[in-house]
Amino acid sequence: MKLNIKTILQSAMAVTVLSAAVWAAAPKTEQVTAPLALTQAKANTSLTVVGQWWSPSNAANWPAVYVDFTTGSQSLINSGQVAFFSHVNGSIKANAGFEIRTVTTDISAVSASDWSTATLVTSLGSGTWYEYDLGSHENVAIQPLTVLVGNASGALYAVKLNNFSNVGQRVVAGQLQVKADANIEFKAL
């Protein structure tokens, strides 16, 4: 009988030790009413700016394409925060009431706080936002350049040029015309 009681006591002791170990290792739970810290990741939106057919010999008068990042819309009528203008609508400038600044940081790492240290520019185009690649004969985006678009309140959007697509040329009334679409991504800051 002594042996059975001793075995029972040892088993009970083992169960107690095991229960204490499991309880100590169990994850702690939060109160239902405790506030949770959330970090909101701002997603990038892709947009193709549809370029206009025009003559490269008259690049200064190329019809501008205005982009409104709030709605994601584009128009040939003066609206939105920026305008894509000049050769194949490949250049970008701020619309009235806005300004653009640049940072040499990928768009994924840009935040509104970069506005104060970013470089103010009037516009960006060939040699500053994209460059002609002699090997591929394409206009290629300069990386990791990101354009910040803002107003007197600070940065509103970050914009990155990815590439150009739908590059084409045609002859109309004996005059060469070209076009391309600028593929960009942007995010609200």
Side-chain angles (χ1 to χ4, degrees):
M1 182 82 174
K2 278 187 172 184
L3 186 58
N4 282 345
I5 292 176
K6 186 177 178 183
T7 306
I8 292 170
L9 288 175
Q10 284 177 339
S11 296
M13 192 74 133
V15 169
T16 303
V17 170
L18 182 60
S19 296
V22 169
W23 182 82
K28 304 298 183 250
T29 57
E30 292 289 326
Q31 295 283 340
V32 174
T33 57
L36 296 175
L38 298 177
T39 303
Q40 181 181 7
K42 297 184 178 168
N44 296 358
T45 302
S46 296
L47 179 69
T48 298
V49 179
V50 180
Q52 301 300 298
W53 288 101
W54 200 254
S55 170
S57 64
N58 190 13
N61 294 314
W62 211 287
V65 177
Y66 297 91
V67 174
D68 185 332
F69 295 119
T70 306
T71 62
S73 64
Q74 51 192 293
S75 173
L76 298 177
I77 299 168
N78 190 342
S79 62
Q81 296 87 10
V82 297
F84 287 81
F85 71 105
S86 193
H87 182 63
V88 296
N89 298 110
S91 299
I92 185 173
K93 65 181 175 181
N95 206 359
F98 297 92
E99 60 184 57
I100 60 174
R101 299 180 182 189
T102 61
V103 290
T104 310
T105 307
D106 187 71
I107 192 170
S108 62
V110 172
S111 68
S113 63
D114 291 313
W115 183 254
S116 61
T117 58
T119 304
L120 177 66
V121 294
T122 305
S123 65
L124 293 167
S126 179
T128 56
W129 203 30
Y130 65 88
E131 57 192 357
Y132 184 72
D133 185 299
L134 293 173
S136 65
H137 302 292
E138 295 177 352
N139 288 323
V140 180
I142 295 174
Q143 301 296 345
L145 187 68
T146 300
V147 175
L148 301 179
V149 179
N151 58 22
S153 299
L156 301 171
Y157 300 96
V159 182
K160 173 186 173 184
L161 175 63
N162 289 325
N163 56 35
F164 292 94
S165 62
N166 298 322
V167 179
Q169 64 181 23
R170 67 183 184 186
V171 176
V172 175
Q175 183 180 34
L176 174 67
Q177 292 185 344
V178 297
K179 78 169 285 290
D181 299 339
N183 299 305
I184 63 171
E185 59 183 286
F186 68 94
K187 70 177 181 180
L189 296 176

